[in-house]
Amino acid sequence: MANIFEFNGYIPVIDKTSFIHPNATVTGNVIIGKNVYIGPGAAIRGDWGQIIIEDGCNVQENCTIHMFPGTTVLLKESAHIGHGAIIHGGTIGRNVLIGMNAVVMDNSVIGDNCIIGALCFVAAGTIVEDRKVMVGNPGKVVKETLGLCRSVTILHWVVATQLHKI
């Protein structure tokens, strides 16, 4: 069983179709939708604000999701957070891929269908328009995404999430 903790009267709400790895930790004001995968070592801390993880999201190994006090973190439907990434406040759009060890800082908004490259640093308050690819430190938009990339990524993680539940 995963490490699920109450904090300040908030108990995480997790849909029964989601998979939370036994070595993941989910604390406080957290809502996890349907068919979500949370990998080992993930720390999802809704202690200073709220975290909403919508249906079909994938939070891989050793990710951290947290925020400044009073902030809501939103991972929209089918967002994918790569190994070791940190989301510290902000909104991640639908069908977004956040690369391994990327960092997304407070009050950033990543539009739908974007790719944030591995090791990218997205500075606080950054707004990335829909269908953009951002890479580097500091993050810089370098091109638009392709529709095929979104479809392959989504299909891969839908199947992978289902396999973990068998």
Side-chain angles (χ1 to χ4, degrees), residues 19-153:
F19 174 81
I20 313 298
H21 191 278
N23 292 332
T25 302
V26 181
T27 304
N29 191 357
V30 177
I31 299 170
I32 297 177
K34 297 176 184 172
N35 300 310
V36 171
Y37 170 85
I38 307 294
I44 302 173
R45 290 181 42 211
D47 52 358
W48 290 358
Q50 183 178 47
I51 298 170
I52 301 169
I53 302 176
E54 292 185 351
D55 299 348
C57 287
N58 164 42
V59 178
Q60 296 179 1
E61 293 79 8
N62 300 315
C63 290
T64 299
I65 301 177
H66 196 238
M67 76 296 289
F68 277 131
T71 302
T72 296
V73 177
L74 174 60
L75 274 58
K76 293 185 179 179
E77 183 179 355
S78 298
H80 302 287
I81 313 302
H83 308 286
I86 298 170
I87 309 299
H88 198 275
T91 298
I92 308 299
R94 295 181 71 240
N95 305 320
V96 167
L97 173 63
I98 303 292
M100 294 182 284
N101 291 305
V103 176
V104 178
M105 292 302 295
D106 300 280
N107 301 314
S108 292
V109 177
I110 309 300
D112 294 345
N113 306 308
C114 287
I115 297 173
I116 305 299
L119 297 169
C120 184
F121 180 79
V122 180
T126 299
I127 297 175
V128 181
E129 295 177 11
D130 294 351
R131 297 181 51 109
K132 301 298 182 196
V133 176
M134 176 180 269
V135 297
N137 182 357
K140 179 180 176 182
V141 172
V142 294
K143 63 181 178 178
E144 290 203 9
T145 59
L146 303 174
L148 179 60
C149 179
R150 291 193 316 267
S151 300
V152 170
T153 300

